[in-house]
Amino acid sequence: MSTKAQPRPRRLPQRSCVACRTSAAKRELVRIVRLPTGVVEVDPTGKKSGRGAYLCRQVTCWEEALKRNRLSKALRTTLTEESRAVLQAFAATLPAEAPASGTPGR
Ligand SMILES: [Zn+2]
């Protein structure tokens, strides 16, 4: 039997933002997790166990998600005032808009 090396395309895991539905590589997005205890928090490492949802690194998506309860739906829970405050505080550290494309394509 010969074992031919087969090039296997490696796909990066893709996730989609719960606010704008854009899909991006997992590491491009920020994971929000609902821990088994019911606490909702930001999970920058993406390693915490629990139900997760993803958002872009854009404050607009976070505002949208909080305003329209997108996160509560995605996480199947109700966000407590405390969780909202934590998420808002995190959102405040994000850039207001997507990094401007300073490079004229081509
Ligand atoms: Zn988004």
Side-chain angles (χ1 to χ4, degrees):
M1 264 192 222
S2 64
T3 44
K4 277 186 187 172
Q6 289 198 344
R8 213 186 253 181
R10 242 192 219 180
R11 289 251 179 108
L12 282 171
Q14 297 263 305
R15 292 292 181 274
S16 57
C17 169
V18 297
C20 68
R21 303 278 166 194
T22 300
S23 53
K26 206 172 157 186
R27 57 186 183 140
E28 301 289 317
L29 301 170
V30 183
R31 184 171 189 249
I32 295 100
V33 65
R34 186 191 71 189
L35 301 176
T37 55
V39 176
V40 174
E41 58 182 44
V42 181
D43 176 21
T45 62
K47 285 180 185 162
K48 290 181 184 173
S49 63
R51 187 177 179 86
Y54 294 82
L55 279 175
C56 302
R57 293 179 184 277
Q58 273 183 60
V59 73
T60 45
C61 286
W62 289 66
E63 280 171 356
E64 177 87 358
L66 288 168
K67 232 185 269 173
R68 296 179 187 266
N69 286 323
R70 293 281 173 88
L71 273 178
S72 335
K73 276 180 198 154
L75 298 171
R76 310 226 174 113
T77 188
T78 307
L79 294 183
T80 60
E81 284 303 311
E82 225 168 42
S83 297
R84 296 180 79 91
V86 168
L87 295 171
Q88 263 159 357
F90 187 88
T93 68
L94 297 168
E97 281 182 25
S101 51
T103 49
R106 302 165 174 245

